[in-house]
Amino acid sequence: MTGANAAATWALSTANNGTVSWTGIGTQSFEQMEALAGGTAADSLAGTNSATTWNVTGTNAGNLAGSVTFSGMETLAGGSGADTFNVAAGGWVNT
């Protein structure tokens, strides 16, 4: 799923399901997405409330426990579970 070119907050409720809320546009639910791509504005991705392994493999890109990939996400936020963030060589996010 590719986001609009507006600031967005992506929130996962389970590994491949959640919502995306765009500033000034609205909110959209999604189900069974294997890839999430932010638009050209600032995007944030919030994980589920269970323990999750985040793999940051490139610039603002990576995957969650190998199940869903993300790109164009400038900010990452773990849920309430005990999350692990693995940052590969060359991997980084703004915040």
Side-chain angles (χ1 to χ4, degrees):
M1 177 175 189
T2 301
N5 292 327
T9 300
W10 301 72
L12 295 171
S13 55
T14 62
N16 300 84
N17 304 310
T19 60
V20 59
S21 299
W22 291 282
T23 302
I25 296 175
T27 300
Q28 174 69 48
S29 296
F30 58 87
E31 295 180 358
Q32 301 305 311
M33 289 294 147
E34 295 177 1
L36 305 175
T40 58
D43 294 280
S44 64
L45 176 60
T48 66
N49 286 328
S50 59
T52 302
T53 299
W54 298 70
N55 298 302
V56 181
T57 58
T59 302
N60 301 326
N63 65 72
L64 287 101
S67 65
V68 62
T69 62
F70 60 87
S71 61
M73 299 294 173
E74 290 80 13
T75 302
L76 303 178
S80 62
D83 295 312
T84 301
F85 287 82
N86 298 317
V87 181
W92 66 276
V93 292
N94 293 356
T95 56

